[in-house]
Amino acid sequence: MRHLLTALRHRPRHRAILQLANYKPQNPQAAPSPPSLPKPPKKPVSFSLHGESWSDEYNWMSQLSDRVAMRHMDVYMEQEEKYTEAVMSNTDRLQSKLHSEMASRFAADLSTPPLRWGPWLYYRRVEEGMQYSVLCRRLASLNEEFISNKSPSAGFDFTSGKKIEQKLLDYNKEAERFGGYAYEELSEVSPDHRYLAYTMYDKDNDHFKLSVRDLNSGSLCNKPQADRVSSIAWAKNGQALLYAVTDDKKRPFRIYCSMLGSDAEDVIILEEPQENVHLTVRHTKDFQFLTVNLFTTQASKVFLLNAANPLSGMTLVWEGEPNAHCIIEHHQGYLYLFTNAALQGQPVDNHYLLCSPVASSCIPRNWQNVFAHDQKMSIVDVDFCSTHVVGALLKDFNLQSLPLPDHVAQILPGTNYDFYSSTMRFTVTSPVMPDAVVDYDLLNGKWTIVQQQNLLYERTRVLYGSSAAVSSSRKTSISKNICADNAEDDRAWNDLSEYYACEEYDVPSHDGVSVPLTILYSRHKKITRENPGLLHGHGAYGEILDKRWRNELKSLLDRGWVIAYADVRGGGGGGRKWFYDGRRTKKLNSVKDYISCAKFLIEREIVGETKLAGWGYSAGGLLVASALNFRPDLFQAAVLKVPFLDPTHTLLLPVLPLTPNDYEEFGYPGDIEDFQAIREFSPYDNIRKDAVYPATLVTSSFSTRFGVWESAKWVARLREYTVHDPSRPVLLNLTTDIVEENRYLHCKEAALESAFLIKFVDDQS
């Protein structure tokens, strides 16, 4: 299950007369000096643990409740902004060019592929000139040849004179409600298709707010309207909604049941006062049952509720080891449990599927194997419809009816809401191909490419239904069923492998373990010892490294850059052992794997000796920053996006709430072995004194799971400890928005990152 975004409360930026506020370099060639750190308003925090004394001179940056500290933080952040602008001032034209390139690859009129659920087709589309999308639906009976939002235009059929599109939610209007931008965490249409329950991030109050909209009238319902909502589930065929709320520390601790159309107060279903207990609620795909997952550091439990009568009580149906991933579904009188929990007390590498009759009265319940645990097969997800159980495989995915393109990174399950549909949707990703959304018909075994962007002809395939309706369209291409016997099937994909090469290597790490390394480069640019390169890494939470095609990286590829992906230990793809060998006391394996891949790129002359940059996001930022401490000489530059940089203090004295998964990943400071390991891989605690570090761009946000002070503290200490080199500046770029949800800001930030890399690695600015 994906981690929820935990955001920091936004504080208005104070304006002040600052030393660098109106900085304009007199000499364009003269590098500006980095901002000086304001005098700490409080003494450093000091404490003793495991017989050692610790002090953090920059702890005041995280004191959110102290107005003086926040005032100093505001001043410091404003100076950082001006310093970054000054350092990057000679790249303004380059940034503008990069921004134009990247923006041109956005399909302004793009509609998501329509998803059929019951009598409706649901989809999102972006209206011309608008920043955010609109959630819409149409009756499938009126749209058997529905192609995109432009056919018929804006949902109006000029032939019949009827409006056939219904706008359900305009996120541009939601942005007006929630401080200028719209970030939706949860969205669920009721099983009777009458209501839409959704949560939007309220940045002024730093929580997700639940709203329910009546889709018949378009108006908001009076109830439920709740704050700090973390999960939702429908019951009673759409007449009731269950939702979980968090406490002040953002821990999901209470579950309510709200009856729509009733004036009665919402009823508490479950409340857990213990600080180490986390709750989630969900409904099964057929809406027959509800499940409540309870996670603690001691155990994982799943309770079952009857969706027809959610107030009738809960039944414990499964209990296992702490932090085990477990999802329960219902299918034809059986409960199915998808989990990676230990089997007979022995840990397993991969997920497996069990089943048990709903009517079983055994305590504890007996579970039987459906997909047995198999070392040669990794099941990453399962889905159900009324007639089939579908398992998504990470390895050995060899369906004869789907000729896959080369270099497939992942096959991801799509949004398959309709329990009674025989069509399953998947997304096929690749480093050399834009994401392709495909439908698979379980009854006849045929695949159809539903949507895929075509960068070569500046058109996007957005298809549904008959191909006849698009025979004359220039912006779409014909929908076609794909089968193994079709000799032209390899051309059905909008594949870029003719222009960009993808190669895979096994790199020996420090202990002889082979680490997968994927590289991508333009076929029109020769690989020489002078090529600049960018090495991505993550290696945390057992998550698979995202190697899908990214439009913004095309600008670097076309300029001769090599893009590399290191699948280090701690990530996904190699089973649980691969994950466990890169977490807690073995976290340094991830860092050393990453360094081995960096050395491989240079020694094999795939990347120039002084032209390698590192890139890491979130926990991947910890990976790259830690690698810089071990081998700063390997890298010419680094980009760290919302990085986790100070695990020692964050795990010991969390300002923002942490989940059990965070401690399982990085370690428990109260455990002496874990604590010593944390101190060893912590980027903040291991900055080398009097060393030359690469040019570094750190981007962070006031809306992130890791506080902005982590980036600010690390940047301040890095400047204090290391040798100052104007050609290798350390920059801190801050935003108050959630960049990923704003296409313009995402494009602007990507242009800044690319310009930074070109300036300090490739020297083409």
Side-chain angles (χ1 to χ4, degrees), residues 240-545:
L241 181 71
L242 277 72
Y243 59 92
V245 298
T246 64
D247 59 15
D248 292 338
K249 296 182 179 179
K250 302 188 186 299
R251 175 183 66 90
F253 79 112
R254 185 184 294 156
I255 295 176
Y256 287 94
C257 178
S258 177
M259 297 295 179
L260 274 71
S262 169
D263 295 330
E265 292 187 0
D266 296 350
V267 178
I268 297 177
I269 298 290
L270 179 64
E271 183 172 3
E272 283 291 345
Q274 298 182 41
E275 292 187 358
N276 67 336
V277 180
H278 292 68
L279 304 174
T280 63
V281 62
R282 63 182 296 272
H283 52 248
T284 56
K285 188 174 178 179
D286 62 358
F287 293 99
Q288 297 298 307
F289 293 95
L290 300 156
T291 61
V292 172
N293 287 55
L294 185 149
F295 301 97
T296 73
T297 53
Q298 289 78 38
S300 300
K301 299 180 181 180
V302 184
F303 297 88
L304 193 70
L305 294 83
N306 185 349
N309 187 9
L311 302 180
S312 60
M314 301 189 303
T315 303
L316 178 65
V317 292
W318 185 82
E319 183 173 3
E321 63 189 87
N323 299 312
H325 178 254
C326 44
I327 294 291
I328 283 185
E329 274 292 349
H330 172 253
H331 186 264
Q332 296 183 357
Y334 282 83
L335 296 178
Y336 287 82
L337 171 66
F338 184 60
T339 182
N340 62 353
L343 273 174
Q344 299 176 347
Q346 297 298 316
V348 297
D349 271 353
N350 304 310
H351 285 72
Y352 54 92
L353 187 66
L354 306 175
C355 74
S356 176
V358 173
S360 174
S361 58
C362 297
I363 300 177
R365 179 180 289 268
N366 292 326
W367 293 92
Q368 297 178 341
N369 273 323
V370 179
F371 294 156
H373 174 60
D374 186 348
Q375 294 287 351
K376 297 180 180 180
M377 181 175 66
S378 179
I379 306 171
V380 296
D381 206 350
V382 293
D383 208 337
F384 296 79
C385 69
S386 59
T387 57
H388 291 77
V389 178
V390 181
L393 308 180
L394 181 65
K395 298 177 181 176
D396 299 333
F397 195 97
N398 187 24
L399 295 180
Q400 294 182 355
S401 59
L402 179 63
L404 293 172
D406 293 334
H407 308 296
V408 168
Q410 283 182 274
I411 299 177
L412 305 172
T415 49
N416 300 299
Y417 285 115
D418 197 339
F419 181 73
Y420 299 100
S421 172
S422 63
T423 299
M424 286 288 170
R425 179 161 291 178
F426 298 89
T427 298
V428 179
T429 73
S430 166
V432 288
M433 183 185 77
D435 290 359
V437 179
V438 295
D439 280 353
Y440 178 60
D441 192 321
L442 296 168
L443 298 181
N444 60 28
K446 291 184 178 180
W447 292 82
T448 303
I449 298 178
V450 177
Q451 183 187 71
Q452 188 181 25
Q453 186 177 10
N454 191 326
L455 293 174
L456 302 179
Y457 300 99
E458 299 180 353
R459 57 192 172 93
T460 300
R461 179 187 283 125
V462 185
L463 305 171
Y464 201 88
S466 169
S467 60
V470 287
S471 58
S472 62
S473 174
R474 291 189 59 203
K475 295 211 171 185
T476 56
S477 55
I478 304 302
S479 170
K480 61 195 301 186
N481 292 329
I482 307 173
C483 61
D485 297 331
N486 189 340
E488 297 183 356
D489 284 340
D490 59 339
R491 294 196 293 271
W493 306 94
N494 290 333
D495 193 346
L496 302 175
S497 57
E498 181 182 349
Y499 305 93
Y500 303 100
C502 182
E503 298 177 2
E504 297 170 354
Y505 299 89
D506 288 323
V507 178
S509 190
H510 68 287
D511 54 1
V513 173
S514 293
V515 180
L517 176 68
T518 303
I519 69 166
L520 182 65
Y521 60 91
S522 172
R523 293 188 185 277
H524 299 296
K525 302 288 184 178
K526 270 191 173 184
I527 287 288
T528 68
R529 64 181 63 184
E530 297 301 320
N531 285 84
L534 184 63
L535 179 60
H536 290 74
H538 186 67
Y541 298 105
E543 296 172 349
I544 297 174
L545 180 64

Side-chain angles (χ1 to χ4, degrees), residues 146-166:
F146 171 50
I147 302 302
S148 72
N149 61 293
K150 286 193 171 183
S151 178
S153 178
F156 188 83
D157 186 349
F158 291 97
T159 303
S160 63
K162 295 180 180 179
K163 183 178 181 181
I164 59 176
E165 179 183 81
Q166 181 183 2

Side-chain angles (χ1 to χ4, degrees), residues 97 206 270 275 331 400 405 514 579 599 673 675-676 711:
K97 179 176 175 56
D206 182 31
L270 179 64
E275 292 187 358
H331 186 264
Q400 294 182 355
S514 293
F579 166 37
K599 292 167 62 178
E673 291 186 4
F675 180 76
Q676 290 173 346
S711 297

Side-chain angles (χ1 to χ4, degrees), residues 17-92:
I17 300 176
L18 302 172
Q19 180 180 358
L20 297 179
N22 296 308
Y23 177 85
K24 292 182 180 179
Q26 300 299 319
N27 180 359
Q29 302 301 320
S33 299
S36 58
L37 195 65
K39 183 179 179 181
K42 285 196 172 187
K43 294 181 179 179
V45 165
S46 300
F47 55 91
S48 179
L49 185 67
H50 301 307
E52 298 183 63
S53 297
W54 307 101
S55 178
D56 181 10
E57 65 271 33
Y58 300 123
N59 72 286
W60 59 270
M61 291 184 175
S62 61
Q63 312 224 347
L64 303 182
S65 60
D66 190 304
R67 292 187 177 181
V68 176
M70 281 294 94
R71 175 60 178 156
H72 281 255
M73 188 66 171
D74 284 341
V75 170
Y76 182 48
M77 293 298 98
E78 192 115 13
Q79 288 181 325
E80 291 289 356
E81 180 182 347
K82 297 301 178 183
Y83 176 57
T84 298
E85 291 177 359
V87 170
M88 297 297 294
S89 61
N90 64 337
T91 67
D92 288 346

Side-chain angles (χ1 to χ4, degrees), residues 549-562:
W549 171 265
R550 288 167 49 194
N551 282 341
E552 61 268 27
L553 290 181
K554 185 177 185 295
S555 294
L556 290 179
L557 288 167
D558 291 345
R559 286 172 170 81
W561 281 67
V562 174

Side-chain angles (χ1 to χ4, degrees), residues 707-728:
V708 293
W709 54 87
E710 289 212 11
S711 297
K713 287 167 56 176
W714 186 81
V715 165
R717 177 173 280 192
L718 188 66
R719 289 179 182 149
E720 178 186 358
Y721 282 14
T722 61
V723 175
H724 173 63
D725 182 350
S727 66
R728 298 184 173 211

